[in-house]
Amino acid sequence: QVPLVQSGADVKKPGASVKVSCRASGYTFISHDIHWVRQATGQGPEWMGWMNPYSGTTGYAEKFQGRVIMTRNTSITTAYMELSSLRSEDTAVYYCARQYGSGWLDFWGQGTLVTVSS
Amino acid sequence: DIVMTQSPDSLAVSLGERASINCKSSQSLLHSSSNKNSVAWYQQKPGQPPKLLIHWASTRESGVPDRFSGSGSGTDFTLTISSLQAEDVAVYYCQQYQTSLFTFGPGTRVDI
């Protein structure tokens, strides 16, 4: 049973926004922070930010400040990551992951490929 | 931000032999209140998300074979595969969680 299921692949034009969803199941959604990590082809994971599903508090990597918004809907145990002003360099697989304990990520979604192309 | 570096970029090891991967952080990752180091290790195979192997630098996750071990303290850490198996071919990443702004290392590819 995979506790995090993400939305499907998406193709966007430069300048557009994308919103990726991450539906949690099998655990208490509000008890674990959700992190978003992206990975371009052939590159290592790049941490984007986190969100506390209970309070809605967020923290973003400086690189994405002003361009990313992480939200949640607790009634449907779903987290969202919206990235705006997309450019070709944003083409990547985007993952959500559950934080356990002080900061390790014990469960990951299957990933969502976002392609930015004109 | 804390910068994580890894070495080597890649290595090839014979089946049954030992593989060691190094990870270095730009700041100490020793968590003062717990006296533990805020480092995790992940394994990633093609087309899959990263899989958590180790947290607190040396605590193995449930179900992870005991040939995987983590060590180190402060700024220098090592992931060791004591006897490499074919299914261990993957890219391995370290990650710090000392601050609320996480960072990953660039990865080390392990091949046979």
Side-chain angles (χ1 to χ4, degrees), chain A residues 75-87:
Chain A
S75 66
I76 56 171
T77 64
T78 299
Y80 303 92
M81 185 283 300
E82 184 171 17
L83 187 63
S84 60
S85 302
L86 291 169
R87 36 213 187 225

Side-chain angles (χ1 to χ4, degrees), chain B residues 5 9 16 34 39-40 51 55-56 67-68 94 100 102 104 111:
Chain B
T5 57
D9 294 336
S34 65
V39 171
K51 173 189 174 183
H55 66 269
W56 286 136
R67 62 180 180 273
F68 291 92
C94 56
S100 62
F102 295 0
F104 287 85
D111 284 310

Side-chain angles (χ1 to χ4, degrees), chain A residues 10 12 14 17-18 24 37 39 48 55 78 91 96 99 102:
Chain A
D10 208 344
K12 295 293 183 183
S17 297
V18 67
V37 177
Q39 189 169 31
M48 299 179 69
S55 64
T78 299
T91 295
C96 61
Q99 176 179 328
S102 296

Side-chain angles (χ1 to χ4, degrees), chain A residues 35 37 39 43-45 47 50 60 95 99 102-106 108-109, chain B residues 40 42 44 48-50 52 55-56 61 93 95 97 100-102 104 106:
Chain A
H35 294 252
V37 177
Q39 189 169 31
Q43 303 297 310
W47 182 81
W50 63 272
Y60 304 136
Y95 294 103
Q99 176 179 328
S102 296
W104 53 94
L105 305 175
D106 66 342
W108 295 61
Chain B
Y42 300 85
Q44 188 176 32
Q48 298 181 18
L52 177 65
H55 66 269
W56 286 136
E61 289 299 297
Y93 299 97
Q95 174 234 329
Y97 49 93
S100 62
L101 304 180
F102 295 0
F104 287 85

Side-chain angles (χ1 to χ4, degrees), chain B residues 20-34:
Chain B
S20 293
I21 300 166
N22 301 306
C23 175
K24 192 175 185 69
S25 60
S26 60
Q27 301 175 31
S28 175
L29 302 183
L30 183 62
H31 197 255
S32 55
S33 59
S34 65

Side-chain angles (χ1 to χ4, degrees), chain B residues 49-62:
Chain B
K51 173 189 174 183
L52 177 65
L53 298 176
I54 285 169
H55 66 269
W56 286 136
S58 61
T59 301
R60 210 168 27 247
E61 289 299 297
S62 174

